[in-house]
Amino acid sequence: MINIRSGIFETNSSSSHAIVINNAGTQVKNYNKLNIVDGVYTISNGLEFGRAPFRMLTTVSTKLRFVIASLASFYINGPEAFMDELINICKKHYPDLKTIKLTANDYYDGYGYIDHQSNGLLDKFLNKHNISIEDFIFDPKYIVIIDGDEYCEFSTLIELNLISDKFETED
Amino acid sequence: MKNTRMHHFISIKNAPEAEQLYKYNGCYSIYIDDNDYLTKPFKVISTISGKTTYALTALVQYKYHSARSQDELALQIKHMYCMYDHEINNVKWHYWNRQHKFGMIDNENAHRFYTYLGHIDGNFFNALQEFIFNPKYIIILDDSRGTFETMQTLQMINIDNITKMDLENEHD
């Protein structure tokens, strides 16, 4: 388990993102699919998690990006060390994988961006529930909601009683 | 599936409380923005103003092409607002985009919406009034990723409390 410094992402603002625990036992098709070419999984986009558009991260590829954007830059030993450990985790699930290459270098330091109000959401969630990064990425019951507090599409769905109570939400 | 943008109409059995409208000196303002329902991301439209804008966009696209018919439609909607809230005696329309004052929507979804109104009530304006002011009607605009479909796949949508009316099948 990768240890992330605890507490440094805390915010008093309401979060625009949320993590949902799916207790319905369902998952999307091709949940684990990664496009690995010659042992390399290249991430060239999708590392920006702002306030819009509304998205649900329901696959390994999207949650992997969210983990990198959330944690890499804040890792106590630096982002490169974080990526090395993350690659080792992924190698357990993808024997053909040799490395993960980030080419989306326009996102700040190259490791992605999380909306400021949601910084710390993942760290807080992992610590609170004692969940490893590996479990978070590879267990389909963890879903991330990307939303903005000026739109509040997901909270509207909750208010309208449209979300099943088998889905626990933390924000 | 004919297009990548699917609009779903959902009727909620347990309807939420009626919405309060904010007015100034008896005048209620409706802001008709240049909503582009062709490219809009995932969105839930559940408010009176949001449903009014959507309905106007669809109806202007599908049927109310002339300025005269649009004026008649606007007048009817004004009467609906006055009936809904007796403190409202005037409705002011604010257009944010003069070129496309009612926004953009594809023909198929506009047709679907018009057809759906006929299922609510045989009288067109009664149906429109019911759709706009009854909180049990909401619209979900799915995005090109199929977010709403994914929600359904994951059984995330609380089907025990809602009746989903997908007009795709009715239209086809």
Side-chain angles (χ1 to χ4, degrees):
Chain A
M1 181 178 175
I2 298 177
N3 293 311
I4 303 293
R5 285 178 295 175
S6 176
I8 62 170
F9 306 124
E10 294 292 338
T11 170
N12 292 324
S13 303
S14 59
S15 176
S16 56
H17 301 171
I19 295 175
V20 173
I21 302 174
N22 172 6
N23 295 314
T26 53
Q27 68 180 73
V28 296
K29 286 182 182 176
N30 300 319
Y31 175 79
N32 293 299
K33 185 179 179 182
L34 286 188
N35 187 23
I36 298 170
V37 179
D38 296 331
V40 180
Y41 179 59
T42 303
I43 296 177
S44 59
N45 57 32
L47 280 167
E48 187 172 8
F49 300 95
R51 305 157 77 86
F54 179 90
R55 291 178 62 195
M56 287 201 311
L57 311 183
T58 57
T59 62
V60 167
S61 65
T62 52
K63 289 200 290 179
L64 189 60
R65 284 165 166 79
F66 186 75
V67 165
I68 293 169
S70 296
L71 304 177
S73 298
F74 303 96
Y75 187 43
I76 196 164
N77 294 324
E80 291 179 358
F82 179 87
M83 288 304 300
D84 287 342
E85 296 200 39
L86 193 61
I87 290 166
N88 286 332
I89 289 171
C90 292
K91 281 179 178 176
K92 289 194 282 182
H93 297 264
Y94 304 95
D96 295 340
L97 181 70
K98 293 175 183 170
T99 191
I100 296 174
K101 189 177 176 183
L102 299 180
T103 61
N105 55 10
D106 53 335
Y107 298 129
Y108 297 84
D109 58 359
Y111 294 95
Y113 159 76
I114 298 283
D115 175 68
H116 70 97
Q117 285 192 333
S118 297
N119 254 337
L121 171 70
L122 178 60
D123 181 43
K124 189 177 170 184
F125 180 81
L126 296 178
N127 283 321
K128 179 180 175 183
H129 296 278
N130 196 26
I131 297 167
S132 69
I133 288 174
E134 181 176 1
D135 285 344
F136 176 78
I137 295 172
F138 290 97
D139 191 333
K141 77 177 181 181
Y142 301 115
I143 295 169
V144 182
I145 303 292
I146 305 299
D147 201 357
D149 60 6
E150 67 273 58
Y151 307 109
C152 300
E153 306 298 352
F154 193 67
S155 57
T156 300
L157 288 171
I158 293 174
E159 285 172 17
L160 292 171
N161 205 16
L162 287 179
I163 300 298
S164 162
D165 57 11
K166 289 182 179 175
F167 289 75
E168 299 173 42
T169 304
E170 291 201 11
D171 59 10
Chain B
M1 212 175 288
K2 290 180 181 174
N3 60 9
T4 56
R5 284 200 53 80
M6 294 183 60
H7 296 178
H8 301 252
F9 292 69
I10 295 179
S11 164
I12 304 171
K13 287 177 183 169
N14 300 322
E17 291 180 5
E19 184 181 337
Q20 297 294 313
L21 296 178
Y22 296 95
K23 54 266 174 188
Y24 181 71
N25 283 344
C27 181
Y28 181 75
S29 291
I30 298 179
Y31 293 88
I32 307 297
D33 59 17
D34 56 345
N35 275 340
D36 181 355
Y37 296 106
L38 297 171
T39 58
K40 215 169 177 66
F42 179 91
K43 186 167 181 59
V44 182
I45 299 174
S46 58
T47 62
I48 288 173
S49 61
K51 288 193 288 183
T52 301
T53 304
Y54 181 88
L56 271 172
T57 305
L59 294 173
V60 166
Q61 170 73 27
Y62 181 68
K63 188 175 181 183
Y64 291 82
H65 298 139
S66 70
R68 185 176 174 182
S69 65
Q70 290 171 10
D71 287 344
E72 170 63 18
L73 182 62
L75 185 64
Q76 291 290 341
I77 290 176
K78 175 188 170 182
H79 290 156
M80 293 174 196
Y81 272 82
C82 293
M83 285 176 64
Y84 177 79
D85 185 337
H86 294 297
E87 292 181 6
I88 293 176
N89 53 42
N90 192 20
V91 171
K92 190 172 181 182
W93 304 85
H94 302 266
Y95 300 101
W96 291 4
N97 184 330
R98 290 180 180 277
Q99 192 176 4
H100 300 290
K101 19 189 230 189
F102 293 103
M104 305 286 283
I105 189 170
D106 60 286
N107 281 324
E108 192 168 345
N109 278 305
H111 180 192
R112 217 175 270 156
F113 176 75
Y114 184 81
T115 305
Y116 182 61
L117 289 181
H119 290 272
I120 295 177
D121 193 307
N123 179 291
F124 172 75
F125 286 112
N126 285 348
L128 182 60
Q129 182 174 11
E130 175 75 0
F131 170 78
I132 292 175
F133 293 96
N134 190 329
K136 77 177 184 180
Y137 295 107
I138 70 166
I139 305 172
I140 292 181
L141 307 183
D142 206 356
D143 57 17
S144 56
R145 292 186 178 94
T147 296
F148 191 66
E149 287 186 352
T150 301
M151 287 179 172
Q152 292 175 284
T153 300
L154 292 172
Q155 297 172 20
M156 199 172 193
I157 298 300
N158 202 349
I159 56 172
D160 292 336
N161 288 345
I162 66 170
T163 300
K164 176 170 164 289
M165 302 185 77
D166 185 347
L167 299 181
E168 186 92 15
N169 294 331
E170 293 180 40
H171 179 53
D172 292 343

